[in-house]
Amino acid sequence: MSLKRQLFLASLLMLLIPWAGLKFVLELDNALRAQAIQQLDEKGVRLAELAGDLMLGAPVVEGAEAIYAIPTDQSPKVDGFTTTWPGFNENEEQLPWQFTPGQNNLRWLAVSNDRYFYLLVQKRDQGLHPYKPNNPEQPYDRFDLVLESPANDLEQSSHPRKWLIRTTAPGANVPALIDGDANKPDRQLAVAWEDLGSRWQLELRMPKPVPGSRLGFQALQTGENPRTQGTSISPPPMLVQRSTDLERALKSQLSDGQQITVMEPAGWVVAHTQPDATGQTPDFDTFSASQILEQITLNALGSLVRLYQPEPKKLAETSLQLHTGGLPEHRLVKQEGTLWLATEHSFFGGRSLLLKQSLDQLLSVSGSALGSVLARSLLIILALTLVLLGYASWLSWRISRLQRLVSASVDDDGRIREAIPPARSRDELGQLQQHFGQMVSRLQSYNHYLESFSRRLSHELKTPVAVVRSSLENLAHNHSEEERQQYLKRASSATERLRRILYSMSEAARLEQSFDQADKEDFNLAEVVSQATAAYQQLAPEYNFHCQIPETTCPLRGSPEMLVQMLDKLADNARDFTPEGGAIEVCLKQYADHYQLEVFNEGSSLPTGSGVDIFSAFVSHREGKTEGHLGQGLLIVRLIADFHGGRVEAQNHHRNGIDGVCFRVIIPKLYNESRTDP
């Protein structure tokens, strides 16, 4: 799996934060719904008692005839035109018309405001037949109206009031005759009667009847059966109107997000109210980016909460009648596209009160703070995910680039084609690129050495092999015993040289194996260095060896034989690069916690910028030397220094006006004897 995918999966774990928040919101929503239902029940009981005290008149039971007056804040004009009637448009079928059961040719629409009651009646099967005073026997259209006030009304008599409406011509200002007496027109009633060709239309305005009144009317031609041409006249149907006093009283008791509906037993809505909206809805254009994200999160939170809620019961979406049919146990209902918590209570006369609490309001209470936290959490998670993906892409690009550099540096045959450029960054990948660059440089030097190794080895082996071959050939053609012995001696000498070459090749490997069996002993390092330097001067008098050691003893626990072998390699290396008559200085210094052994020789300097560790295997810089070297000497020096817990280093040095190379071996005085591995 790629690094980018791993970081992406790791960033997904941060989604546990909003998941835990959602679980908390769901639990909080259940607790708040249970608490809200309890509070709604308690408030519903109180409001039902209040509604029972304010409701007047007999209840309208199921199946009873009734005229429902739709509440309005407008004042329709009684002028024969319906443009001022609330909600009236060309598509008249959309209006809440009322009909006589079994008869659809006569329909009516009743509305009321605080002062007046309005009635719009249409008869659709015939045009208007006006009343002709000069021919009263001719059939004409008449409209009978009856109003019966409740018996406990003190302002008006409970005796029914009757009006006869007829017109001599279509138009407004049609008189309403009290008890049909042509001499008693009622100036409080305004009537307009229009002939629309295939139908006629009547508009009526009268003072608003008191609650509990009954209103009946019939529209017929003289000679027709009145029972089939409108509502009942005796007794008149109940006039159902919204009770503004009840709505004001209930409205003052409601909280934000609540609605209340009072219904007659027949389902007619006699009161419906909700508290005024507090504050203005903020304009979306004024939202900041964080507020927009917060609102989106809150909406998403509400949708998720609704997924885990029980299925709500749908209520009829009408403002005229409402039949709940009983509420479910979870009290969740849906009306007009909004989810509510509802509680229903019955009171005097079989009337019922429905109290609802908006779930959006509850979610706003429970989720506003947490929604803000979740919104910010999602924003932070999104930002962190993008940062992690960007960082992973950047790391992936750097790793791919390093892979391309490494692949481009080595060809298919394993040869080094080009060096890896140094890294600019100093992090782990930069260090990895730096190490790869060093590795490629070392491999390049190793390859260069290995390419010349066969040439060097061939050069070393060519002479003794040629001597052996020529000696054997001459031995076969000579019969003189003296010459035969001479050729045998030459062949034996060449064979010994071959043995030494092969021994040198395996010397480092044997040395590493001997570390496990080496015994350590206490000895004086200064004495060993002094004796070895004196021996080198005798073996190579053409060089000037100088030895400088401390006057005191230098006790050390280790292997004196191995240290002498290390000095041999350093001395051999110094002789190879020092011209005849040159100086080779061996210096031993004593410090508080370690010894420092230096071997300085004048002559050529170490190459700079090669990037190759000269203390590694098969590394040699003896270009052009007649004697081949396999690059094992300095490796042996490093192995012996490691065995004694020390380290070795080499650098170009200027001493006493002479340029040369100084090899320095640092050996600690207190060395852990348990460490025997190089």
Side-chain angles (χ1 to χ4, degrees):
M1 186 180 293
S2 65
L3 181 63
K4 185 187 299 184
R5 290 185 179 179
Q6 293 179 22
L7 288 177
F8 175 72
L9 293 177
S11 63
L12 289 181
L13 294 177
M14 291 185 292
L15 293 177
L16 293 175
I17 298 175
W19 177 82
L22 175 61
K23 290 295 184 182
F24 174 74
V25 170
L26 294 177
E27 294 178 2
L28 182 61
D29 176 70
N30 291 331
L32 285 178
R33 278 197 291 116
Q35 183 179 10
I37 291 173
Q38 181 181 0
Q39 293 176 349
L40 284 178
D41 283 333
E42 295 174 357
K43 179 178 283 190
V45 172
R46 297 195 304 269
L47 295 181
E49 293 176 356
L50 176 61
D53 295 337
L54 296 178
M55 285 293 294
L56 300 176
V60 182
V61 297
E62 188 71 31
E65 226 180 340
I67 295 178
Y68 186 81
I70 301 173
T72 180
D73 294 331
Q74 302 178 17
S75 298
K77 292 182 179 180
V78 182
D79 54 3
F81 302 97
T82 56
T83 55
T84 59
W85 281 73
F88 196 92
N89 53 35
E90 294 298 329
N91 188 3
E92 300 177 359
E93 299 300 330
Q94 292 184 354
L95 293 177
W97 296 102
Q98 298 185 61
F99 299 88
T100 300
Q103 182 184 2
N104 293 329
N105 63 331
L106 188 71
R107 59 182 181 178
W108 63 90
L109 177 65
V111 298
S112 64
N113 54 27
D114 290 339
R115 296 182 59 191
Y116 295 104
F117 170 81
Y118 299 86
L119 183 64
L120 174 65
V121 181
Q122 286 186 354
K123 191 169 185 180
R124 298 188 295 175
D125 58 350
Q126 64 179 31
L128 178 63
H129 295 82
Y131 170 71
K132 296 184 180 300
N134 58 356
N135 190 6
E137 299 299 330
Q138 184 178 350
Y140 62 88
D141 289 316
R142 59 180 288 174
F143 189 84
D144 296 328
L145 182 66
V146 175
L147 176 63
E148 182 179 325
S149 300
N152 58 350
D153 183 45
L154 301 179
E155 297 181 0
Q156 300 184 24
S157 170
S158 61
H159 183 71
R161 302 179 63 190
K162 299 180 180 180
W163 294 269
L164 170 62
I165 301 174
R166 61 188 180 186
T167 181
T168 58
N173 300 319
V174 175
L177 306 180
I178 299 175
D179 295 330
D181 189 348
N183 297 319
K184 293 182 179 180
D186 193 341
R187 305 298 180 184
Q188 291 185 321
L189 270 67
V191 181
W193 205 335
E194 289 292 336
D195 187 2
L196 303 178
S198 62
R199 67 183 188 274
W200 57 256
Q201 176 176 285
L202 182 142
E203 294 176 87
L204 181 146
R205 184 191 69 197
M206 63 185 301
K208 185 177 180 180
V210 297
S213 299
R214 292 178 175 270
L215 179 70
F217 63 87
Q218 58 184 10
L220 68 160
Q221 285 189 4
T222 55
E224 288 183 339
N225 183 4
R227 292 294 299 169
T228 61
Q229 300 299 320
T231 65
S232 174
I233 295 294
S234 180
M238 288 293 298
L239 177 60
V240 183
Q241 304 177 89
R242 292 283 185 89
S243 175
T244 55
D245 293 338
L246 178 59
E247 288 181 342
R248 282 193 294 267
L250 295 176
K251 183 177 181 180
S252 63
Q253 304 294 322
L254 297 182
S255 305
D256 290 340
Q258 292 183 345
Q259 282 188 5
I260 193 167
T261 305
V262 180
M263 300 159 290
E264 294 284 354
W268 297 106
V269 177
V270 294
H272 179 78
T273 186
Q274 60 186 9
D276 296 330
T278 57
Q280 270 189 328
T281 302
D283 189 2
F284 182 79
D285 296 335
T286 63
F287 280 6
S288 63
S290 61
Q291 288 175 325
I292 293 176
L293 181 61
E294 189 173 323
Q295 190 63 37
I296 293 175
T297 305
L298 192 58
N299 293 338
L301 189 62
S303 300
L304 288 174
V305 169
R306 292 188 184 97
L307 287 177
Y308 291 91
Q309 288 176 344
E311 185 68 22
K313 179 179 181 179
K314 293 184 179 180
L315 299 182
E317 298 183 4
T318 175
S319 60
L320 304 183
Q321 282 184 297
L322 179 60
H323 294 278
T324 62
L327 297 179
E329 183 179 359
H330 51 70
R331 308 293 183 87
L332 283 176
V333 297
K334 186 174 184 179
Q335 189 176 26
E336 298 178 355
T338 305
L339 284 177
W340 305 86
L341 275 179
T343 178
E344 187 174 10
H345 303 273
S346 299
F347 58 97
F348 173 74
R351 297 182 175 99
S352 60
L353 180 144
L354 182 67
L355 179 60
K356 298 180 296 184
Q357 170 72 58
S358 171
L359 275 186
D360 291 336
Q361 184 73 18
L362 281 180
L363 184 62
S364 176
V365 173
S366 63
S368 57
L370 189 57
S372 176
V373 172
L374 290 179
R376 287 171 173 79
S377 300
L378 287 176
L379 181 62
I380 293 173
I381 290 171
L382 179 61
L384 288 177
T385 302
L386 293 178
V387 169
L388 286 176
L389 289 179
Y391 180 67
S393 301
W394 180 61
L395 287 181
S396 178
W397 175 81
R398 290 182 62 192
I399 294 174
S400 300
R401 177 175 173 271
L402 179 58
Q403 181 183 4
R404 291 193 298 269
L405 290 175
V406 173
S407 300
S409 64
V410 182
D411 61 12
D412 295 337
D413 296 330
R415 294 185 178 88
I416 305 298
R417 292 188 293 191
E418 58 183 15
I420 297 178
R424 297 180 180 179
S425 59
R426 296 185 179 181
D427 56 6
E428 287 78 2
L429 279 179
Q431 295 175 5
L432 180 62
Q433 182 173 345
Q434 191 73 24
H435 289 311
F436 270 122
Q438 294 175 1
M439 182 188 70
V440 170
S441 298
R442 292 173 182 175
L443 287 176
Q444 189 174 20
S445 298
Y446 292 160
N447 286 346
H448 179 70
Y449 173 75
L450 291 176
E451 288 173 357
S452 63
F453 179 77
S454 60
R455 183 176 67 254
R456 294 175 181 176
L457 186 60
S458 174
H459 177 77
E460 287 291 314
L461 298 179
K462 181 168 59 177
T463 300
V465 169
V467 170
V468 171
R469 184 179 61 184
S470 62
S471 298
L472 293 177
E473 289 177 353
N474 292 329
L475 183 63
H477 295 87
N478 283 278
H479 302 286
S480 171
E481 185 64 27
E482 182 179 354
E483 291 182 352
R484 290 170 63 87
Q485 291 297 327
Q486 182 179 359
Y487 288 128
L488 287 174
K489 185 177 180 180
R490 289 176 58 189
S492 176
S493 176
T495 303
E496 178 63 21
R497 186 176 180 184
L498 287 174
R499 187 192 66 78
R500 288 198 302 270
I501 292 175
L502 296 176
Y503 178 84
S504 176
M505 293 178 61
S506 61
E507 185 178 5
R510 290 198 311 274
L511 178 64
E512 290 184 287
Q513 294 175 0
S514 67
F515 286 154
D516 295 334
Q517 289 80 29
D519 295 329
K520 293 181 180 180
E521 60 182 85
D522 296 326
F523 64 95
N524 185 1
L525 180 59
E527 182 180 355
V528 172
V529 172
S530 176
Q531 293 177 0
T533 305
Y536 300 150
Q537 184 65 69
Q538 294 178 2
L539 294 175
E542 67 273 17
Y543 300 101
N544 296 322
F545 281 88
H546 302 281
C547 180
Q548 183 179 355
I549 60 175
E551 295 180 358
T552 60
T553 60
C554 299
L556 181 69
R557 183 171 181 79
S559 174
E561 292 80 7
M562 290 184 181
L563 286 176
V564 170
Q565 185 179 4
M566 180 182 70
L567 283 171
D568 291 345
K569 299 301 180 183
L570 290 175
D572 290 343
N573 183 77
R575 287 196 299 268
D576 289 342
F577 291 95
T578 302
E580 291 187 4
I584 299 176
E585 297 182 4
V586 179
C587 178
L588 177 63
K589 299 178 181 179
Q590 182 177 198
Y591 294 93
D593 58 348
H594 68 275
Y595 298 109
Q596 181 173 297
L597 177 62
E598 294 180 351
V599 177
F600 171 80
N601 66 276
E602 65 174 290
S604 59
S605 302
L606 293 174
T608 59
S610 64
V612 177
D613 184 7
I614 61 175
F615 297 98
S616 299
F618 301 110
V619 178
S620 176
H621 290 279
R622 293 173 172 84
E623 299 292 342
K625 293 283 183 178
T626 56
E627 292 292 333
H629 291 272
L630 301 181
Q632 301 291 308
L634 294 181
L635 172 62
I636 293 174
V637 172
R638 181 178 66 81
L639 293 176
I640 296 175
D642 289 342
F643 175 75
H644 288 84
R647 68 180 188 275
V648 61
E649 57 188 31
Q651 60 182 6
N652 296 322
H653 194 67
H654 182 80
R655 178 179 295 183
N656 299 327
I658 302 174
D659 291 328
V661 177
C662 180
F663 287 85
R664 184 177 293 114
V665 181
I666 310 297
I667 302 176
K669 290 183 178 181
L670 300 176
Y671 177 61
N672 185 3
E673 298 183 11
S674 64
R675 178 179 176 182
T676 58
D677 295 331

